Amino acid sequence: MSRNAAAPEHWAVDAGEHDVARLDIPPHAVRERDFEIFCSLTVKPQGSGGHGDAWHELRVLVDGSLAWSRRVPTQPGRDSLDVRLRHRVPAGRALRLSAVAQTQRATRLGLVITADEEQ
């Protein structure tokens, strides 16, 4: 008799135009898990002509600690800032993810976090 492995976990949150996205993944009682975490901030410059000093920034916190941060100039049209991280979660521990966006002369269009268990 073979034991079927559980399907890999998939978690996601879409904060829309808000400046903070939070994703809390509950602990698994008996096994360690590895997650690929994807965070994406989508923006557009304010106004029709764009501004040379427009920028957008994304900070990613894993369990309350800064895991990644970047600020870039906002390009005309739609622009984004994306990051992929890997994180191992011991058995019995939860995973708390936060993506924090800041902008100057740019409008937030979307802020998303996904976490996919790797097997």
Side-chain angles (χ1 to χ4, degrees):
M1 182 164 141
S2 66
R3 189 176 117 189
N4 290 336
E9 295 179 43
H10 170 79
W11 299 85
V13 65
D14 185 341
E17 297 174 0
H18 295 280
D19 58 352
V20 177
R22 289 191 178 90
L23 182 59
D24 293 320
I25 300 173
H28 192 286
V30 295
R31 67 179 171 84
E32 180 176 86
R33 298 171 294 171
D34 291 310
F35 283 97
E36 180 180 43
I37 301 160
F38 176 69
C39 300
S40 180
L41 168 63
T42 306
V43 299
K44 69 176 180 178
Q46 293 175 344
S48 59
H51 296 278
D53 57 349
W55 54 261
H56 54 288
E57 176 181 291
L58 179 61
R59 289 181 291 133
V60 178
L61 291 86
V62 177
D63 292 331
S65 296
L66 183 64
W68 187 85
S69 179
R70 181 86 25 101
R71 178 183 290 182
V72 296
T74 302
Q75 301 301 311
R78 291 177 79 111
D79 199 1
S80 68
L81 188 52
D82 307 317
V83 63
R84 289 189 187 278
L85 307 167
R86 285 183 170 35
H87 189 76
R88 177 164 286 170
V89 182
R93 298 254 335 249
L95 176 59
R96 294 174 319 165
L97 303 170
S98 298
V100 181
Q102 287 188 292
T103 61
Q104 175 177 287
R105 294 200 171 123
T107 301
R108 285 182 303 278
L109 301 174
L111 180 59
V112 175
I113 303 173
T114 62
D116 290 301
E117 184 181 14
E118 298 179 322
Q119 292 191 332

